[in-house]
Amino acid sequence: MITTTTTQIKEDSNKKEKVLLVINCLQGGGAERSVLTLGQGFYELGYEVHILRFKSKVAYELSDNLFYHQLDLNAYKSVPTKPLRHWYFAKMLDKYVTKEIGIPILTLSNLDKADMVMRHSNLPNIAHIIRNTISKKIELFRSEGKKVGEKKLSNIYSRHPCICVSQGVEKDFQSTLAVTNTTTIYNPIDKIQIMESASEFKPEFDDYIIHVGSFKTQKAHEVLLKSYAKTSKTLPLLLLGEGALLESMKELTTSLGLDNNVHFLGFQKNPYPYIQKARFMVLSSVFEGFGRVIAESLALGTPVISTDCPSGPRELLPPYNLVSVGDIDALAKKMDEAMANADIYQSSFDDELLPIKIAQQYIAFMTKSD
């Protein structure tokens, strides 16, 4: 039996066209924040927006403008194989959506688990949102001993159109999986909401460098810490986030003699006051899909230095703000320059990233696909 939790559907809901966004959960990640922001963009365009997730976990404040649903995928663990489980769950999901929500004009699938389910769905106008450089994800999984096959992934993503969050992601996706029914639409950034959130409280630190991101291999915190150790360290480094590699990064901090300079602040539901007050933001990632925190920093007027990942940062920042992936000395040099004069790394925010503008691109893509 499907376990559900939904908001009460408004009496006039059948008068509005509906958009459905599907994701595993709403935990504290960039993809989850992007789903909620995109939902707001569709709402601003006049659509009725539904968010459907498979787990109850929520790390963000949920807007009253959207409707929320939960269908429990774990309730089907007794189905013998994952492919069969995903197929069966998709049929249950279609039945639920048709009965409780109505037929959406657009359904957007987000992240791996949702994609594996929604490839079997028969709802109209489904698209997968591709949020990361898939070749790099495959490399990472294989380095961790996980089996990943390009053919299997091609089968998942070849049935429905795929919308990539950067041009770099789209190019990599096409070349890796030979899937060509793709386009690029950037992640939405709610500049007004971000600026309002940035004024909610005053951080306990006055002048600092900041990094926001989960402690996982992709973010390469070890490169950031080793680079910072080579700087003058005239400003402290704040690290916001949680993740599997948190404790090992704390140990590295100690071994580099940085305990008095580096501060681990954990996951922050509202990181924007910290970002706004920072002298500059720094990213050391091995790969990014879009680099959401870069765009958020630019919305707040905070300069950004980043590694030049295969996709994302170079589409948001000028070349001078970028360094080669894994180049500890080059990153240290730029951090020293920014500690002395962060203005040389200032960049402007592109208003085309506002939620309503991005939502319009999705509707235009759907109309074209029809």
Side-chain angles (χ1 to χ4, degrees):
M1 183 175 183
I2 294 182
T3 303
T4 68
T5 59
T6 71
T7 55
Q8 184 176 356
I9 306 299
K10 296 177 182 177
E11 290 181 2
D12 64 345
S13 65
N14 60 346
K15 298 178 183 178
K16 288 186 176 183
E17 292 182 309
K18 300 170 177 63
V19 173
L20 175 65
L21 295 99
V22 182
I23 193 167
N24 187 45
C25 65
L26 293 172
Q27 64 185 11
E32 292 80 3
R33 190 184 292 276
S34 291
V35 164
L36 295 172
T37 305
L38 181 57
Q40 180 63 25
F42 286 120
Y43 171 80
E44 291 173 11
L45 283 178
Y47 293 92
E48 181 183 293
V49 184
H50 296 260
I51 310 288
L52 190 154
R53 65 190 191 274
F54 304 159
K55 291 182 179 179
S56 60
K57 186 172 182 180
V58 175
Y60 296 113
E61 247 180 73
L62 301 182
S63 168
D64 292 336
N65 296 330
L66 315 181
F67 296 105
Y68 305 94
H69 309 256
Q70 182 195 333
L71 307 185
D72 187 6
L73 177 58
N74 285 333
Y76 293 86
K77 279 189 173 180
S78 59
V79 179
T81 65
K82 280 187 178 181
L84 185 59
R85 188 183 313 155
H86 294 148
W87 177 87
Y88 186 74
F89 186 68
K91 304 311 163 189
M92 296 299 100
L93 184 149
D94 286 0
K95 184 178 179 180
Y96 173 84
V97 170
T98 302
K99 180 180 178 182
E100 301 296 337
I101 297 175
I103 301 299
I105 64 160
L106 178 62
T107 296
L108 299 174
S109 176
N110 298 267
L111 300 181
D112 302 351
K113 195 156 285 188
D115 292 340
M116 287 186 285
V117 171
M118 296 309 294
R119 69 173 293 232
H120 300 292
S121 172
N122 289 317
L123 293 174
N125 297 320
I126 295 172
H128 299 286
I129 302 183
I130 310 303
R131 298 190 173 278
N132 233 319
T133 313
I134 198 153
S135 66
K136 295 298 180 182
K137 283 191 71 175
I138 291 172
E139 286 178 17
L140 178 60
F141 287 151
R142 287 176 177 166
S143 71
E144 296 172 346
K146 299 175 182 176
K147 292 183 179 180
V148 183
E150 285 89 343
K151 185 176 180 180
K152 179 181 177 181
L153 291 173
S154 295
N155 288 337
I156 291 173
Y157 292 111
S158 59
R159 184 178 179 192
H160 303 300
C162 295
I163 299 173
C164 303
V165 298
S166 70
Q167 294 173 11
V169 164
E170 182 179 13
K171 182 179 179 181
D172 177 81
F173 188 79
Q174 289 182 343
S175 62
T176 303
L177 300 186
V179 175
T180 57
N181 189 9
T182 64
T183 193
T184 292
I185 301 178
Y186 290 129
N187 277 328
I189 304 296
D190 193 339
K191 182 177 180 180
I192 295 173
Q193 184 271 326
I194 287 171
M195 293 178 70
E196 290 175 351
S197 297
S199 63
E200 286 185 359
F201 63 86
K202 183 178 179 181
E204 59 272 34
F205 297 87
D206 290 324
D207 199 10
Y208 50 85
I209 308 164
I210 192 168
H211 178 280
V212 179
S214 301
F215 285 85
K216 54 187 178 182
T217 304
Q218 174 186 343
K219 301 298 182 180
H221 284 84
E222 73 282 0
V223 171
L224 175 58
L225 290 168
K226 290 175 182 178
S227 296
Y228 178 70
K230 290 193 168 192
T231 70
S232 61
K233 299 183 283 295
T234 54
L235 296 177
L237 173 63
L238 306 190
L239 303 178
L240 277 62
E242 296 175 344
L245 299 180
L246 175 59
E247 291 307 316
S248 63
M249 291 304 104
K250 287 182 177 179
E251 291 172 6
L252 178 58
T253 298
T254 300
S255 69
L256 292 170
L258 299 175
D259 285 335
N260 294 327
N261 306 93
V262 177
H263 304 272
F264 294 84
L265 301 187
F267 171 77
Q268 299 290 325
K269 185 179 290 188
N270 179 10
Y272 302 122
Y274 292 99
I275 296 174
Q276 183 180 54
K277 200 174 178 184
R279 183 82 66 89
F280 63 94
M281 166 75 69
V282 59
L283 274 76
S284 52
S285 303
V286 177
F287 64 94
E288 290 283 345
F290 171 71
R292 180 182 181 86
V293 73
I294 296 176
E296 291 176 334
S297 298
L298 299 183
L300 292 169
T302 302
V304 182
I305 295 170
S306 174
T307 44
D308 188 13
C309 305
S311 62
R314 71 181 65 169
E315 297 176 45
L316 298 169
L317 296 170
Y320 186 72
N321 295 48
L322 304 171
V323 300
S324 298
V325 172
D327 193 332
I328 292 171
D329 291 331
L331 184 57
K333 181 180 178 181
K334 286 203 175 289
M335 291 171 71
D336 257 332
E337 286 180 351
M339 281 188 266
N341 180 16
D343 288 344
I344 61 176
Y345 292 102
Q346 192 68 258
S347 303
S348 60
F349 175 80
D350 186 353
D351 284 342
E352 289 301 310
L353 297 175
L354 294 174
I356 194 168
K357 298 271 193 179
I358 297 299
Q360 285 171 338
Q361 292 183 46
Y362 275 93
I363 297 301
F365 174 74
M366 178 209 68
T367 304
K368 183 179 178 182
S369 297
D370 286 348

